[in-house]
Amino acid sequence: MSVNNPLIPLLADNRTLILDGALATELEARGCDLTDPLWSAKVLIENPQLIYQVHLDYFSAGAQCAITASYQATPQGFLARGLDEQQSLTLIAKSVQLAQQARSDYLALHPQTSPLLVAGSVGPYGAYLADGSEYRGDYHLPQEEMMAFHRPRINALAKAGVDLLACETLPSFAELLALLALLKEFPTLGAWFSFTLRDSQHLSDGTPLKNVVTVLEANPQALAIGINCIALENVASALQHFATLSKKPLLVYPNSGEQYDPVSKTWHQCDNQQGHLVGQIAGWQSTGARLIGGCCRTTPADIRAIVEHCKA
């Protein structure tokens, strides 16, 4: 079986494929309390219609790909909320259905729009731990256990009909290897892989990016590679390093440029902030970034600004 790669026709028609922006912080901005181990997955239980609305707003802003609200949605996490496995898998499927419905409703109003994608979010094991370790990668599970952790969610996303997976915010080389092994069970399903970094040349767990790219370059299910949830000022140097290593499409969806204070749980402007992310897009494009969007604290207005910049 050959891998379905929905990025190929879209990248053939577009210099840049525009991803959506933040989901969780946008839900917070609309009144959701996400001080919870389930984070945005909590809203799948409490207010799924709001997730649909955020997806629709991103499509209306010009995003060509929605990332589902399944980053922190796992049977293990939902179990702590008293939900059994079937209820959990139903919620993971719902995360896909909400994005698909937003896509259908947008296309019904704008039938001339080019194809829009739904990427199933697969957050790292560290996101389930809810202790910030997706930015450190300092957790360890045997590969079979790591695969068993990820398998139910990926299976639910695949059955619900995602166009591809977004394996995102990955800090751990061992976890990457487990995900690649697991994807062999879904031979037609492709994924992008985006990472958190210790610096421009190393994963958060210290693995050289050269080692990371080596295993991805040879894998046909790895459709694009890059970085997300990264400070704005660190994007350019990391992209430049990726570009020396990889021939696959590069992706980047950084944070807004604000800094998060984990003590006060608030966001603040950085003194060294290099302006709005739109001002850096031309440099990212020249480095080879083909998929660009936003992560924490970015909004539909930010995505609209990216779209306008890329049209200019």
Side-chain angles (χ1 to χ4, degrees), residues 232 256-257 273-281 284 298-299 301-303 305-306:
L232 202 55
S256 65
Q273 185 178 343
Q274 298 179 10
H276 191 275
L277 59 85
V278 168
Q280 301 191 42
I281 287 176
W284 302 343
T298 57
T299 68
D302 292 317
I303 298 306
I306 293 173

Side-chain angles (χ1 to χ4, degrees), residues 229-287:
C229 210
I230 185 173
L232 202 55
E233 64 269 19
N234 297 333
V235 171
S237 59
L239 270 181
Q240 287 163 6
H241 189 59
F242 267 110
T244 67
L245 300 171
S246 177
K247 292 182 170 56
K248 290 186 183 284
L250 299 182
L251 74 152
V252 57
Y253 45 116
N255 296 335
S256 65
E258 296 168 275
Q259 187 170 39
Y260 184 66
D261 182 341
V263 177
S264 64
K265 299 189 184 305
T266 55
W267 291 83
H268 304 280
Q269 295 289 337
C270 296
D271 293 338
N272 64 346
Q273 185 178 343
Q274 298 179 10
H276 191 275
L277 59 85
V278 168
Q280 301 191 42
I281 287 176
W284 302 343
Q285 290 173 317
S286 67
T287 305

